Amino acid sequence: MTATTEARETGARPAEPAGSGFGAVLRVQLRTGWKAPVIWVLALVGGYAATVAALDTTYGTPEQLATYEQTVGSDPAMAAINGTPYGADTLGGVAANEFGFIAAIAIPLMGLFLVARQTRAPEESGLLELLRSRGVGRRAPWTAAVVVTVVALALVGTGMALVLIAYGEPADAAWLYGASIATLGGVFAGLATFVGQLVRRAAGVTAVGIIVLGGAYLTRAIGDVRDNAWKWLSPLAWQQETRPFADDSRVWPLLLALAVVIVLVVAGLVLVGSRDLGSAMVASRPGPRRASRFGASTLGLALRAHAPAGLGWIAGAAVVGVVFGAFTDDIADAVAANPALAGMFGADAADQVNESYAGFTLLLIAFMAMGCLAQSMLRLHGEETGGRLEPTLARASHRVGWMTTHAVTAAVFACIALLVGGAGLAWTAGDRVDGVLAATAAYLPAVLVIGGLGMLLFGLVPGWSSLIWLVLAYAVFADLLGSTLSLPDWALALSPTHVVGDVPVDDVDAAAELWLSVVALGTAAVGAIGFRLRDVPR
């Protein structure tokens, strides 16, 4: 009697060799998905290098560094955004603070997306089933995805450390900072590995990850502002509390993060061996035996595809608006005690700080809405590569109608995220800031530009659809670090959110709104025409 027959009779799963098919899966993932990790590594290391170079020019003397430390470290309320500025009297500490917001968002998303796109996404599309039919073990795809992600994160951390060393920072501090950055991403890669066993769809993994990231950011912010233990619930605080550039640098928070990474990855790999391919540990609710007319329509399918991630972004934007709005008084008090802090939010005077702080918060919410739309637009390419688009178009569905329905559905979720976040900010900020809702609406055309560019890429060069993340990354980089890097006006104007202007401090520019709307509609139209004329799949 064979082992397989014995397993069938006893109801047990047949044993698999450890790492069965790992090498083959690793080669496939590198051959088909190399673009994403390369783009992440180059964008993050390049952005960090440009930031350090600009800061070295701006704060090139000990006196300038001391002034910076006195300004940003004078009140704990300022730590809500970038975290506590440990070691801000060194170039590395200044860079860690100035790059802190980007690192706190981009590094976790990198770990989350890289794992999900190589595991749950192909499992959902059926591609993983083809690999499994070639004798590949259950854990091999997940192990390979974790390895690729960890290597990419290690390259980011190494690149950042080498940049710091090149500018004269101590090697031990630079390597500790790089290790903390890589480990932060590893926590969310582990989270994706674990959550990927609980939910069936890649969009669900992303939604849960974004909610956890939002919670981590807020608990870290509350803990830093109130100086309490809340921050220790956040992986962002574990990275921050290594304090690599301070006199009291420490390694044990890094070890805490590593332990969490190991637990999450091991738990995920154990669970993947306990479920069937295409299923999840949390059972899906049984649906009706037959789809309703609406559920089988293009709009119904679009809602089903985009709702999980869209609702996650909406929830995250709402929480950011409510919590950051509640900090308005704390920020105002900090600026009143030290007027030099007004410049941190772009305010020309202390009496404008409430409006400037609200504008900064709205900018963050706009970035979240743009992220929601970018992720949803990539779903179109996933439908094509997953083989679901061809049978859909074989029915009575029109190409342009299918594409437009999905794009409009995704745009609606993104716009709701923006408006809900702005409403939360207006609610908690109260009458201390005027015009928050009008300023929120002013960002709608900028958000829609992402949708138009997503349609353009999908319609003309679908294989490069992921470049939409570079557009969003550039907008974040230009708006948050443009003044620090002294970017020229033409470079800043390439960011759709920068074109909106400094609202609610300034009035809404109708010409800018019109221009952004034309760009959004024009790129969407060109993308629709390209999709109508090209081959499917391509």
Side-chain angles (χ1 to χ4, degrees):
M1 182 181 292
T2 65
T4 303
T5 305
E6 291 176 355
R8 187 179 296 119
E9 291 179 354
T10 59
R13 297 180 182 273
E16 295 175 354
S20 175
F22 170 79
V25 175
L26 183 61
R27 289 191 295 272
V28 169
Q29 291 186 2
L30 290 175
R31 186 168 61 248
T32 60
W34 63 269
K35 296 176 186 176
V38 168
I39 289 173
W40 276 107
V41 172
L42 293 179
L44 286 170
V45 175
Y48 185 74
T51 302
V52 174
L55 292 173
D56 185 53
T57 302
T58 306
Y59 302 102
T61 66
E63 293 75 15
Q64 291 172 324
L65 290 171
T67 301
Y68 180 90
E69 182 187 32
Q70 183 180 5
T71 301
V72 301
S74 59
D75 194 283
M78 300 303 298
I81 299 168
N82 293 336
T84 303
Y86 295 114
D89 57 344
T90 66
L91 177 61
V94 174
N97 188 61
E98 292 292 320
F99 202 74
F101 177 80
I102 293 178
I105 301 301
I107 297 296
L109 289 181
M110 176 183 175
L112 185 70
F113 287 163
L114 289 183
V115 171
R117 75 186 301 272
Q118 292 286 10
T119 51
R120 263 303 175 184
E123 184 171 351
E124 185 180 343
S125 67
L127 294 177
L128 196 55
E129 187 174 4
L130 295 177
L131 282 176
R132 289 286 307 277
S133 68
R134 306 295 295 177
V136 171
R138 297 181 183 87
R139 297 181 177 89
W142 292 88
T143 305
V146 170
V147 169
V148 171
T149 303
V150 168
V151 170
L153 290 166
L155 289 175
V156 171
T158 300
M160 290 182 173
L162 292 176
V163 168
L164 290 170
I165 293 173
Y167 280 89
E169 288 299 294
D172 56 346
W175 287 115
L176 180 57
Y177 177 74
S180 69
I181 288 291
T183 307
L184 171 61
V187 171
F188 282 83
L191 178 68
T193 305
F194 178 71
V195 175
Q197 316 314 320
L198 305 182
V199 299
R200 291 183 61 244
R201 298 186 179 276
V205 176
T206 303
V208 173
I210 290 170
I211 292 172
V212 172
L213 176 58
Y217 190 92
L218 293 173
T219 53
R220 195 274 308 153
I222 293 171
D224 282 335
V225 171
R226 307 300 182 191
D227 193 22
N228 58 35
W230 272 92
K231 63 183 178 182
W232 290 107
L233 298 175
S234 169
L236 303 179
W238 305 341
Q239 184 272 325
Q240 170 188 286
E241 289 297 325
T242 56
R243 308 180 184 183
F245 306 104
D247 294 334
D248 58 343
S249 61
R250 44 195 185 176
V251 177
W252 66 263
L254 185 66
L255 300 178
L256 172 62
L258 281 172
V260 172
V261 172
I262 293 172
V263 169
L264 289 173
V265 170
V266 170
L269 294 179
V270 169
L271 290 177
V272 75
S274 303
R275 65 173 179 85
D276 293 327
L277 185 67
S279 66
M281 301 303 294
V282 178
S284 301
R285 180 177 60 85
R289 297 183 62 182
R290 297 180 62 87
S292 64
R293 178 172 297 181
F294 174 77
S297 67
T298 302
L299 178 57
L301 293 173
L303 285 172
R304 181 179 178 85
H306 301 296
L311 293 175
W313 284 105
I314 290 170
V319 174
V320 168
V322 169
V323 174
F324 272 66
F327 288 149
T328 302
D329 279 340
D330 295 299
I331 298 296
D333 292 341
V335 173
N338 184 0
L341 293 174
M344 299 291 295
F345 300 103
D348 296 328
D351 59 357
Q352 291 183 328
V353 68
N354 283 350
E355 288 76 12
S356 295
Y357 175 69
F360 177 81
T361 304
L362 282 178
L363 184 63
L364 303 185
I365 295 171
F367 289 149
M368 296 184 71
M370 294 166 79
C372 173
L373 189 50
Q375 181 186 358
S376 296
M377 295 307 298
L378 285 176
R379 177 80 187 201
L380 274 66
H381 183 50
E383 292 291 307
E384 182 173 7
T385 57
R388 294 183 294 274
L389 181 55
E390 286 180 277
T392 299
L393 296 179
R395 302 186 305 167
S397 300
H398 189 274
R399 282 193 180 200
V400 175
W402 177 87
M403 183 186 195
T404 304
T405 300
H406 275 265
V408 170
T409 302
V412 168
F413 278 111
C415 292
I416 291 175
L418 175 64
L419 296 174
V420 167
L425 174 63
W427 176 46
T428 52
D431 56 5
R432 291 163 290 184
V433 184
D434 296 326
V436 172
L437 294 179
T440 303
Y443 279 107
L444 287 172
V447 172
L448 295 178
V449 166
I450 294 294
L453 292 174
M455 291 182 68
L456 181 70
L457 291 169
F458 177 68
L460 299 181
V461 283
W464 291 93
S465 294
S466 57
L467 287 179
I468 193 65
W469 286 114
L470 278 184
V471 177
L472 176 55
Y474 181 82
V476 174
F477 186 77
D479 281 287
L480 296 185
L481 296 175
S483 59
T484 300
L485 301 176
S486 300
L487 293 180
D489 291 340
W490 66 265
L492 293 173
L494 295 176
S495 166
T497 45
H498 182 81
V499 174
V500 172
D502 190 13
V503 292
V505 176
D506 299 328
D507 294 333
V508 177
D509 187 344
E513 298 292 295
L514 178 61
W515 169 244
L516 289 171
S517 300
V518 169
V519 171
L521 291 174
T523 51
V526 173
I529 294 172
F531 180 60
R532 183 175 181 272
L533 298 177
R534 73 172 174 84
D535 294 333
V536 175
R538 177 180 170 183

